Amino acid sequence: MKKTGDVTLATLAEKLNVTTTTVSKALRDKPGIGLEMVKKVKDLARELNYQPNFAAQSLKKSTSDSIGLLITSDITNPWYAQLVSSLESELARHGKTMILSLGKDDYEKERNCLEAFRGGRVAGVIAGPIFRQRNLENIWQSLNNGLPMVVFNCMEEMPVNYVAIDQAEGARLAVNHLIEKGHKRIGYLCCLKGDLQEAGKSRREGFEQALFEHDMPLFGRNIITGKISKKGGYEVMKGLLSQSREKLPTAFFCHNDNVALGAMLAIQQAGLSVPEDISLIGFDDIEESSLVSPMLTTVGGIKDKFAKELVNTILDVVENKSETNNRIKKEIAPQLIVRDSVKQIN
Amino acid sequence: MKKTGDVTLATLAEKLNVTTTTVSKALRDKPGIGLEMVKKVKDLARELNYQPNFAAQSLKKSTSDSIGLLITSDITNPWYAQLVSSLESELARHGKTMILSLGKDDYEKERNCLEAFRGGRVAGVIAGPIFRQRNLENIWQSLNNGLPMVVFNCMEEMPVNYVAIDQAEGARLAVNHLIEKGHKRIGYLCCLKGDLQEAGKSRREGFEQALFEHDMPLFGRNIITGKISKKGGYEVMKGLLSQSREKLPTAFFCHNDNVALGAMLAIQQAGLSVPEDISLIGFDDIEESSLVSPMLTTVGGIKDKFAKELVNTILDVVENKSETNNRIKKEIAPQLIVRDSVKQIN
DNA sequence: TATTTTTGAATAAACGATAATCTAAATATT
DNA sequence: AATATTTAGATTATCGTTTATTCAAAAATA
């Protein structure tokens, strides 16, 4: 009833009349085994299709080749799908296996995952964007237990290794672009209502900061509350357009491309045009943004860079735990990708 | 340098002056341990934040609570992202952990994943859509080694457990709809060039079969070759529209929603209208299809059902290996989702 | 009181791989 | 030739759990 097909080191050892030590060493080219012995062992291993038992290996070496990935947000969001894909490639390239857990925006689930990862199943954890306040305790638990960890897009101010997009820089790029194009009334679409502490806070803060740096007025009603998704962007924009259009911003910095794409749809369905009537700028640069018409101006250019940085960081920490006390903090600067969704105003 | 925080059964046992046997049994409510002993053990375990060592457990029990998931296609495709998400939920609901590997349409990678899964790391594997011919040998290896496995959307005719969408039924629904709406020239967009054996073959076959059942003519040039993606749909349709539009089909059954959406974009950019000039019908029912204008008529309604069926199947096989000889074969019937992208012709 | 049954826990043996230690033969050194 | 050093392996112990078996004391029976 075993899964491994019953071929163990012992199987090989017996057939060759040697000990398991010899076989083990031969297979891994450790010194102290004769040349022809090594060949005999390897040949037999191939012949019998030997696969080392993963559990035994990690028990003995008290480490594992798996890295846990906890994505708290919806993986259906193309940005995260892309991230997962890149992370998997990058981990595989380093001979690591990925264990994916999805938080589904449920902090209970998030907590369970974090706990499970502490059973020695993984060598380290990449997680984000975490519910900061509620799961802070668990993060601490994990860290105190010596579980290497790096978070992304969250908890910048906490003492945890982290990699993040430089949200402020991204927002600045977008706002600068809008201002250069002559826009005077700039809105933000959408921020989550209520909980300003959650993920995305810093992107919105970056937006406000950028306006502030330009002495631009910030109207309360220009920060639009809504669900962060294509549907959210669609519905919110639909609502905005049904009201008086007098004081509407001439341009919106959208929380992400999905929101922008939803908004664009709503604008077009209302018989208006992007960018003629309303300019839009997104964030993420998902594939769709360059397929839609007009093509969406956005902030991005990160993709693989982000995944690579995350993987490098976690592997650094895993392999070199001594320096765990020095916290790693990396910010990746995004780029402005100018396309056709922003109009020049005079 | 351990990850588990050094709290093992032995730690608990020592503090309580009992043996690890007692602690182990107490924690898992096995018979033979006194009531107050059980309480003492559990309290201490909680206090010290004991986490059972995963590797030790699975080594001893020679099974694991992980299920391997091999997605060979691009997870950036919303349908697969959705599937992964649903599978993760469903597996978590059964207390299982998901190990995700991505094949990235690279059969070498696919093979490596399949091999890695045989190290006892997982209790079973869900995989699809596999490169049939090239990796057939590996599938066999795995099966022969007793690794429970279920594949999806591929290898219908091979002796492997599998769950699939009833492609033929889906195609039939779509074609029937088109015919009922009066269409006489129906095209297929897009199939992969060359390799008819790969995934998607049966969808296209279903299409041809459905036409056949209706005594509809099948013109070779109506089966359009192209990349199966939004971009692919876009480019192929752009190409079609640049040629003589005389004999162009009045309606296209698209391989999936992404292709349809890309095609729609191309049609609209050419100044034409869906469905007035060309009707489209998709397959998958991804979120975007109901947000786009016109909303896309498509075949779907599967989503969670599919994931549930896959998980049930693999767990059945894992827990009840005795019946491994009886091959499980399930087909899930999709539904037609009528929206606005198909025009009535008289 | 002597004997059997029950209860609660200890002992010991795995699971498969690996690292540290040790042995015997072969080779090298002086 | 006598000793020192390599070489190619075998022994043994261990990682943290689980489980079959054994054992002692307490409770129940005769």
Side-chain angles (χ1 to χ4, degrees):
Chain A
M1 212 44 75
K2 311 263 184 54
K3 296 174 313 304
T4 56
D6 283 335
V7 179
T8 72
L9 286 187
T11 317
L12 304 182
E14 198 184 5
K15 299 224 182 213
L16 294 172
N17 269 317
V18 293
T19 60
T20 60
T21 311
T22 308
V23 177
S24 173
K25 283 181 160 180
L27 283 176
R28 292 169 308 125
D29 291 311
K30 293 267 171 175
I33 306 295
L35 232 60
E36 67 270 45
M37 187 74 243
V38 169
K39 179 162 164 39
K40 276 204 293 184
V41 170
K42 285 189 174 175
D43 284 351
L44 185 62
R46 198 173 359 260
E47 186 192 334
L48 298 187
N49 221 287
Y50 166 76
Q51 282 289 129
N53 181 292
F54 167 72
Q57 272 187 160
S58 46
L59 172 58
K60 185 69 198 24
K61 305 209 280 202
S62 82
T63 184
S64 117
D65 68 353
S66 302
I67 297 289
L69 174 60
L70 171 55
I71 302 278
T72 59
S73 190
D74 190 356
I75 201 198
T76 285
N77 175 332
W79 194 84
Y80 284 103
Q82 174 74 50
L83 179 64
V84 169
S85 177
S86 301
L87 282 173
E88 203 272 347
S89 294
E90 197 56 21
L91 286 171
R93 213 168 60 76
H94 285 89
K96 304 291 179 185
T97 301
M98 175 175 102
I99 298 196
L100 176 65
S101 291
L102 268 24
K104 305 264 163 84
D105 292 322
D106 173 352
Y107 98 101
E108 275 278 11
K109 235 193 140 212
E110 216 171 291
R111 185 168 55 76
N112 291 340
C113 295
L114 250 16
E115 268 175 14
F117 281 148
R118 285 202 283 104
R121 164 193 268 97
V122 297
V125 174
I126 298 175
I130 297 279
F131 276 103
R132 181 172 31 196
Q133 322 89 314
R134 307 190 76 173
N135 264 321
L136 194 49
E137 190 185 344
N138 281 93
I139 304 281
W140 274 111
Q141 276 284 359
S142 297
L143 289 174
N144 289 339
N145 279 306
L147 179 62
M149 187 143 118
V150 46
V151 303
F152 62 90
N153 290 358
C154 58
M155 311 211 293
E156 290 130 274
E157 69 281 12
M158 304 310 296
V160 189
N161 302 311
Y162 98 119
V163 172
I165 297 172
D166 190 338
Q167 305 281 355
E169 176 61 13
R172 194 172 297 119
L173 288 172
V175 169
N176 285 356
H177 183 66
L178 258 19
I179 289 175
E180 278 168 17
K181 289 283 191 175
H183 289 270
K184 301 278 188 262
R185 294 189 71 97
I186 302 175
Y188 188 92
L189 215 68
C190 325
C191 70
L192 288 172
K193 63 184 139 210
D195 217 337
L196 298 184
Q197 308 273 43
E198 301 298 351
K201 177 195 173 200
S202 54
R203 187 170 301 173
R204 215 213 51 203
E205 281 181 349
F207 169 77
E208 296 184 359
Q209 179 64 26
L211 283 185
F212 185 74
E213 286 170 5
H214 283 274
D215 286 322
M216 292 278 293
L218 178 69
F219 303 96
R221 67 175 285 257
N222 289 0
I223 304 285
I224 315 291
T225 291
K227 227 180 115 206
I228 295 184
S229 68
K230 189 177 254 187
K231 203 164 196 162
Y234 177 82
E235 285 167 357
V236 163
M237 181 54 77
K238 203 167 169 181
L240 285 178
L241 293 178
S242 68
Q243 301 167 217
S244 119
R245 209 172 302 155
E246 282 313 312
K247 293 185 176 170
L248 215 58
T250 58
F252 285 94
F253 174 45
C254 303
H255 188 88
N256 63 26
D257 282 8
N258 262 341
V259 168
L261 261 16
M264 184 183 289
L265 203 60
I267 293 170
Q268 292 171 337
Q269 283 191 2
L272 299 175
S273 154
V274 177
E276 281 312 312
D277 299 297
I278 295 176
S279 291
L280 294 176
I281 190 164
F283 207 115
D284 285 352
D285 188 28
I286 63 178
E287 187 197 10
E288 195 183 344
S289 300
S290 56
L291 287 177
V292 95
S293 170
M295 295 200 288
L296 185 70
T297 292
T298 188
V299 176
I302 303 225
K303 303 205 160 150
D304 292 342
K305 211 158 131 198
F306 196 68
K308 277 203 174 101
E309 208 56 75
L310 276 172
V311 169
N312 285 344
T313 305
I314 193 66
L315 293 186
D316 266 13
V317 182
V318 166
E319 278 152 24
N320 195 354
K321 282 220 215 149
S322 47
E323 305 176 23
T324 305
N325 25 348
N326 308 15
R327 181 191 168 212
I328 300 170
K329 182 168 171 167
K330 291 180 190 164
E331 289 212 320
I332 302 185
Q335 297 163 348
L336 183 69
I337 298 170
V338 178
R339 291 201 273 251
D340 313 322
S341 65
V342 175
K343 180 198 182 186
Q344 171 81 49
I345 289 188
N346 38 14
Chain B
M1 213 43 73
K2 312 262 187 50
K3 295 173 314 305
T4 56
D6 282 336
V7 179
T8 72
L9 284 187
T11 317
L12 303 182
E14 196 184 7
K15 299 225 183 212
L16 294 172
N17 270 316
V18 294
T19 61
T20 59
T21 309
T22 309
V23 176
S24 173
K25 283 184 161 179
L27 283 175
R28 291 169 310 119
D29 294 310
K30 295 264 170 174
I33 306 295
L35 232 61
E36 67 270 45
M37 188 73 240
V38 170
K39 181 164 164 37
K40 275 204 294 184
V41 170
K42 286 189 172 174
D43 284 351
L44 186 64
R46 197 169 4 256
E47 188 193 334
L48 299 187
N49 221 288
Y50 166 76
Q51 283 286 129
N53 181 294
F54 168 71
Q57 271 186 163
S58 44
L59 172 57
K60 185 63 201 154
K61 304 208 283 203
S62 83
T63 184
S64 116
D65 68 353
S66 301
I67 297 290
L69 175 58
L70 171 55
I71 302 279
T72 58
S73 189
D74 190 357
I75 201 197
T76 285
N77 175 330
W79 195 83
Y80 285 103
Q82 174 74 50
L83 179 65
V84 169
S85 177
S86 300
L87 282 172
E88 202 273 347
S89 294
E90 197 57 19
L91 285 171
R93 213 168 61 75
H94 285 89
K96 302 292 178 187
T97 301
M98 174 175 102
I99 296 195
L100 176 65
S101 290
L102 268 25
K104 303 263 166 82
D105 290 323
D106 173 352
Y107 100 102
E108 275 277 10
K109 241 199 132 204
E110 215 173 292
R111 186 168 54 77
N112 290 341
C113 295
L114 249 18
E115 267 175 15
F117 281 148
R118 286 203 281 106
R121 163 194 268 99
V122 297
V125 173
I126 298 175
I130 296 277
F131 277 103
R132 181 174 28 194
Q133 322 90 313
R134 307 189 75 174
N135 265 320
L136 194 51
E137 189 186 345
N138 282 94
I139 303 279
W140 272 111
Q141 276 284 3
S142 296
L143 289 174
N144 288 339
N145 278 307
L147 181 60
M149 187 143 117
V150 47
V151 304
F152 62 90
N153 290 358
C154 58
M155 310 212 292
E156 288 130 274
E157 69 280 11
M158 304 309 297
V160 188
N161 302 310
Y162 100 119
V163 172
I165 296 172
D166 190 337
Q167 306 279 356
E169 175 62 13
R172 193 171 297 120
L173 287 172
V175 169
N176 284 355
H177 182 65
L178 258 18
I179 289 174
E180 278 168 17
K181 289 283 192 174
H183 289 271
K184 301 275 186 264
R185 293 187 74 94
I186 301 176
Y188 188 91
L189 215 68
C190 324
C191 71
L192 288 172
K193 65 185 136 207
D195 218 336
L196 298 182
Q197 307 273 44
E198 303 295 351
K201 177 193 172 201
S202 53
R203 188 171 301 173
R204 213 214 51 200
E205 283 182 348
F207 168 78
E208 296 183 0
Q209 178 64 26
L211 283 185
F212 185 75
E213 287 170 5
H214 283 275
D215 285 322
M216 294 276 293
L218 178 68
F219 302 95
R221 65 177 286 258
N222 289 359
I223 304 283
I224 317 290
T225 290
K227 226 180 114 205
I228 295 184
S229 67
K230 188 179 255 187
K231 202 163 198 162
Y234 176 83
E235 286 167 356
V236 163
M237 182 53 78
K238 204 167 168 179
L240 285 180
L241 293 178
S242 70
Q243 302 167 214
S244 120
R245 208 172 303 154
E246 282 314 311
K247 292 187 176 170
L248 215 58
T250 58
F252 285 93
F253 172 45
C254 302
H255 189 89
N256 64 25
D257 282 9
N258 264 340
V259 169
L261 260 18
M264 184 183 289
L265 202 60
I267 293 170
Q268 291 170 339
Q269 282 190 3
L272 299 176
S273 154
V274 175
E276 280 313 313
D277 298 297
I278 295 176
S279 292
L280 295 176
I281 188 162
F283 207 115
D284 283 354
D285 188 28
I286 64 178
E287 189 198 9
E288 197 183 342
S289 300
S290 56
L291 287 176
V292 95
S293 172
M295 296 199 288
L296 185 70
T297 293
T298 189
V299 177
I302 302 221
K303 303 205 160 152
D304 293 341
K305 211 159 132 198
F306 196 67
K308 279 205 172 99
E309 208 57 72
L310 275 172
V311 170
N312 285 345
T313 305
I314 194 65
L315 293 185
D316 265 13
V317 181
V318 166
E319 279 151 24
N320 197 353
K321 283 220 217 148
S322 47
E323 305 177 23
T324 304
N325 27 348
N326 308 17
R327 179 189 169 213
I328 300 168
K329 184 169 173 165
K330 290 180 190 165
E331 290 211 321
I332 303 184
Q335 297 164 349
L336 183 70
I337 299 170
V338 178
R339 291 202 273 250
D340 313 323
S341 64
V342 175
K343 180 196 182 186
Q344 170 79 50
I345 289 187
N346 35 16

